[in-house]
Amino acid sequence: MVRGAADAASKLILLGEHAVVYGECALAIPLRRPRAEAAVSGALPGRPVAIELEDFGIRWDGRKRPVPPEVRSFVRIIAAAAERFPQIPARGWKMSVRSQIPSGCGLGSGTAVSAAAFRAIFRYFRVPYTERTVSELVYEIEKLHHGNPSGIDNTVISMNRPILFRRGAAPRVITVPRKSCFFIVGHTGKRHSTAAVVAAVARARSGRRAEYDAIFRSIGRLSKRGARAFEQGHWRELGKLMDRNQELLKRLGVSSPELDALVGAARSAGTLGAKLSGAGRGGCMAALTTDPACARRARRALQAAGAVATFVTRISNHG
Ligand code: PMV
């Protein structure tokens, strides 16, 4: 990799979304693909920092006002990086960012581009950073977009390991067992706003607090059991837990007809379990199998049920 280049994984929440906002455990894994990439390089000395967003076809020269909305969080990333490491100059360099991760679909696209950008800046200027620093800084950027993020996305993407995450506690790294499995991901094609869905859950909870908190606790228990099942390669058990989690997410009101259709299609194709992944009300779902033929079948079933994008990812301890 060249000096100022960096990338970051996407992520999949296997169990525990929404409950994790309220202090319960959630299980998440990084995905090698799709990924986000960033590159920093030198520019004419004295020029303001320029930002190129390849996916949007935007080249911002660092001067033009107003700052395009897509560029704003990168301006903040640069300011946050320079505040943490004052040796990073305010002028004379440029950064370009691109991502294969569809945005607003629960795969951590915003988090991954932020993590890639911070890493690229730190590598280019050779500042001694840790992944914990990246995680903390990305979390500050997340707060600008999401208001009340649990911290699971920045943690799993910066650690780049499967984790059992609980707000305010040290994340537990989950080891990947020898027995491999496949996750089949289907995208409904509907973008969601995490902030809006999290806020809707908070509103619904305010009227039915005891019921919602009981659901969150049940989800938290599923996540802990899921972490054990994952570590031991008990994929059948993990699939059942995913199914149960989906039922609880439906009770929270965060599924949607499109997600239900994809989850149903994946189950009919013989997968071990399926659920929405991320904030819900659109975005992606994930299903689990150990059988490559079933993974192919499930992928076709998702396409037939209306998924606009699908992919299969293999989890194994051989990388
Ligand atoms: O932004 P998404 O769609 O990946 O959702 C993140 C998971 C939530 O639990 C819904 C929010 C959070 O901050 O944990």
Side-chain angles (χ1 to χ4, degrees):
M1 235 179 218
V2 293
R3 183 173 146 197
D7 61 3
S10 50
K11 69 94 198 352
L12 204 55
I13 298 182
L14 300 184
L15 295 164
E17 49 275 270
H18 290 291
V20 71
V21 174
Y22 296 88
E24 297 295 338
C25 287
L27 179 64
I29 58 171
L31 300 176
R32 252 177 312 161
R33 268 182 302 277
R35 300 184 74 77
E37 293 173 344
V40 169
S41 53
L44 285 179
R47 283 266 174 94
V49 179
I51 298 171
E52 181 182 8
L53 303 181
E54 291 185 25
D55 307 306
F56 296 96
I58 292 175
R59 278 169 186 254
W60 182 65
D61 64 3
R63 276 190 279 242
K64 204 161 171 267
R65 295 291 183 273
V67 179
E70 299 86 348
V71 170
R72 278 180 209 148
S73 65
F74 295 96
V75 171
R76 291 187 171 124
I77 284 171
I78 290 166
E83 198 176 307
R84 185 73 158 238
F85 296 104
Q87 64 268 49
I88 295 172
R91 288 171 173 267
W93 54 280
K94 56 187 180 185
M95 177 165 75
S96 82
V97 181
R98 66 175 174 193
S99 174
Q100 310 162 329
I101 312 168
S103 63
C105 78
L107 296 178
S109 110
T111 313
V113 289
S114 298
F118 278 117
R119 285 173 179 156
I121 296 168
F122 296 157
R123 284 186 193 168
Y124 185 76
F125 292 106
R126 299 204 163 103
V127 295
Y129 73 97
T130 63
E131 286 305 331
R132 198 189 170 124
T133 309
V134 171
S135 182
E136 284 166 10
L137 289 168
V138 171
Y139 185 69
E140 292 306 310
I141 302 296
E142 301 267 281
K143 283 206 280 197
L144 301 171
H145 300 292
H146 298 322
N148 184 25
S150 65
I152 190 168
D153 284 16
N154 52 291
T155 306
V156 69
I157 285 175
S158 60
M159 288 181 76
N160 203 25
R161 308 275 300 274
I163 54 165
L164 184 66
F165 177 85
R166 183 179 209 143
R167 220 172 171 160
R172 185 155 84 74
V173 172
I174 303 297
T175 48
V176 180
R178 294 198 75 77
K179 279 184 270 178
S180 65
C181 73
F182 300 89
F183 287 101
I184 309 99
V185 177
H187 185 359
T188 57
K190 284 205 167 174
R191 290 184 56 175
H192 63 211
S193 151
T194 301
V197 186
V198 169
V201 170
R203 272 196 305 278
R205 175 181 179 252
S206 66
R208 293 150 70 184
R209 204 167 166 139
E211 184 195 341
Y212 268 59
D213 287 354
I215 296 174
F216 294 145
R217 281 195 298 276
S218 301
I219 293 176
R221 282 195 291 272
L222 297 182
S223 302
K224 284 190 215 155
R225 284 176 58 186
R228 280 197 297 276
F230 187 103
E231 271 185 324
Q232 291 164 1
H234 290 167
W235 302 124
R236 191 167 290 279
E237 160 83 355
L238 182 60
K240 280 191 197 142
L241 298 169
M242 288 171 69
D243 281 345
R244 266 196 239 159
N245 195 167
Q246 172 65 12
E247 293 318 305
L248 294 168
L249 288 163
K250 278 171 87 164
R251 284 176 57 194
L252 294 178
V254 297
S255 196
S256 69
E258 295 82 4
L259 283 164
D260 292 344
L262 298 188
V263 165
R267 288 181 186 155
S268 303
T271 56
L272 300 173
K275 64 179 273 292
L276 69 86
S277 184
R281 294 200 179 162
C284 286
M285 49 68 67
L288 169 65
T289 183
T290 53
D291 172 12
C294 176
R296 286 193 292 275
R297 209 164 50 237
R299 200 172 169 188
R300 284 195 298 274
L302 291 177
Q303 284 157 357
V308 296
T310 57
F311 63 90
V312 176
T313 185
R314 180 163 179 251
I315 303 298
S316 79
N317 72 352
H318 306 297

